[in-house]
Amino acid sequence: MVDTVILWLRRDLRLADNPALSRALSGAGRLVPLYIHCPAEEGRWRAGAASRWWLHHSLAALDRAFRERGSRLLIARGEDSLTELRRIATACGATRICWARRYEPATRATDARTELALRADGLRCDSVEGNLLFEPWDLATEANGPYRVFSAYWRRAVTRLTLPVIEPAPTALPPAPSDLGALSVDELGLLPRVRWDTGLAHAWTPGEDGAQARASAFIDGPLATYAAKRDRPGVLGTSRLSPHLHFGEIGPRQLVRMIADRGLVLDEGPAEPYVRELGWREFAYHLIHHFPHTTDEPLDERFAAFPWREDETLLAAWQRGRTGIPLIDAGLRELWKTGWMHNRVRMAAASLLTKNLRQPWQAGARWFWDTLVDADLASNTLGWQWTAGCGADAAPYFRIFNPVRQGERFDPTGDYVRRWCPELARLPARFIHQPWAAPAGVLTDAGIRLGSDYPQPIVDLAASRREALAAWETIKNQA
DNA sequence: TGCTATTTTAA
DNA sequence: TAAAATAGC
């Protein structure tokens, strides 16, 4: 009598170094790789359109990888995962189910509820560590509490960093049953009906092979100059691995191993600033585990009283990249076109929305959620709360980015702005980040009429900065 | 992972 | 005169 094991894949869409796959294969006779599409279970944070596009292609790639090894990926859809797992376990006679843990509030609740019910059914459940270097509860402060400050968290984490042993992808897998009423990836309807996704297809290769290729290219290339170039949105200086990491097409353990195998140390030298960015991802999961309400509510409770001013017109101008502030518009257009935005520009764009325009950070988080291919609830929550000033940030002052200054510092040639705001292409570098300050003759020569070819700025940066600081003053001394 | 006003330094 | 350093939020 051989065991039949269901491998419940969720956000670990790879074959190499996949702990749930390894666990499922140990002692299994038959393996049933399964993806279940249950958007209703993700509650308010079900995948947005860009994320669904990525998921479609990642599932298709994973199915191909399974088929190359003699297996296949089964796909189901339903109102809840438990019903589908029960149906398929019964149909194929499975006695055991393996999966990698998830950590968001809704997915955690689903997994806990599902595990309880499956165990009551008499099925064995093996949940293994998710796609992180540290489980979110692994690290604690001296007082045995959660960290709220990244530097303290990471200082501690680095002392615990070890070099993982990576399990290669299996070269052959046992055949999977083909008679369980499984759907094709296409039938999930994840792709957009209106074909707005050509820019995404041009920018990305979802799936494990694409993740591996990008990781190698990054580690053998831009990693060496990461410290100097990562903040330049006009330069290909970052890893652009975030969507691959989100869907678990590659894991941070694999990246750490690849870096070490190139002879680099993790906590100093050229690799250190990149490994630190992986640390921010870990910290985001630490925070969402310990403070699950922060997906929707500020970590800093004083911000319940912050005077946001909700304005659909301002929000819409920001979303569409029509604020009249070039760096911000470039970023939001890059996002719309490619499903991704350079992190430096994310910070500047989020600062403009939450501080200068004083729109609630949740509105920006929601827009990013719908448009980013790397939309990740832990990282998105941390990023927006950090920029809004209501999250885990050790700075004692109210940080407000000046998008002109950010542009001049990090896009000094203006090439990034020119790429995404072509109507400004002929403006000289001196004025590219503040066209409103250019003399009339310069604008004429560049073929720009402000207010028609390109918007006048929708906000006075200096005045709105003062107002935001005043708003901060009204809440900062609360108990 | 900031900004700005002010002071200091260098040419 | 302006770049660089510093203070303070």
Side-chain angles (χ1 to χ4, degrees), chain A residues 85-226:
Chain A
L85 285 167
R86 278 178 166 154
R87 179 176 70 75
I88 288 160
T90 304
C92 68
T95 53
R96 190 157 69 94
I97 301 179
C98 293
W99 67 81
R101 286 188 273 275
R102 298 182 291 190
Y103 307 97
E104 301 83 2
T107 57
R108 237 166 87 186
T110 295
D111 291 355
R113 177 163 26 85
T114 304
E115 179 167 357
L116 265 180
L118 292 172
R119 282 187 195 279
D121 290 352
L123 288 158
R124 278 179 59 197
C125 294
D126 277 346
S127 63
V128 303
E129 67 271 24
N131 213 24
L132 295 170
L133 297 170
F134 302 99
E135 290 292 81
W137 47 86
D138 271 357
L139 299 167
T141 63
E142 288 288 340
N144 202 29
Y147 287 96
R148 285 167 172 263
V149 175
F150 173 76
S151 56
Y153 170 84
W154 191 236
R155 208 169 18 249
R156 179 85 187 97
V158 162
T159 67
R160 298 261 313 264
L161 256 185
T162 54
L163 272 192
V165 178
I166 301 303
E167 291 236 24
T171 52
L173 290 166
S178 55
D179 53 351
L180 300 175
L183 306 172
S184 69
V185 179
D186 289 338
E187 286 173 292
L188 292 181
L190 297 169
L191 293 180
R193 294 206 185 86
V194 180
R195 290 301 305 273
W196 51 260
D197 56 333
T198 51
L200 272 62
H202 189 254
W204 303 102
T205 308
E208 185 168 13
D209 291 348
Q212 286 287 341
R214 188 147 278 184
S216 298
F218 170 65
I219 291 170
D220 292 333
L223 180 63
T225 52
Y226 188 73

Side-chain angles (χ1 to χ4, degrees), chain A residues 20-36:
Chain A
L21 172 61
S22 304
R23 182 70 71 87
L25 285 174
S26 65
R30 287 213 298 173
L31 179 74
V32 183
L34 173 66
Y35 184 85
I36 309 173

Side-chain angles (χ1 to χ4, degrees), chain A residues 25 41 46 58 62 92 243 283 341 352 355-356 373 426 429:
Chain A
L25 285 174
E41 276 180 348
R46 67 189 64 186
S58 193
L62 187 64
C92 68
F283 186 47
M341 195 196 301
L352 186 91
K355 309 250 160 108
N356 300 97
V373 289
R426 292 166 61 200

Side-chain angles (χ1 to χ4, degrees), chain A residues 421-454:
Chain A
C421 300
E423 68 269 43
L424 300 176
R426 292 166 61 200
L427 211 51
R430 167 131 192 257
F431 299 109
I432 189 99
H433 293 294
Q434 41 178 346
W436 59 86
V442 171
L443 286 170
T444 308
D445 289 351
I448 300 164
R449 286 157 303 166
L450 275 189
S452 52
D453 299 310
Y454 184 75

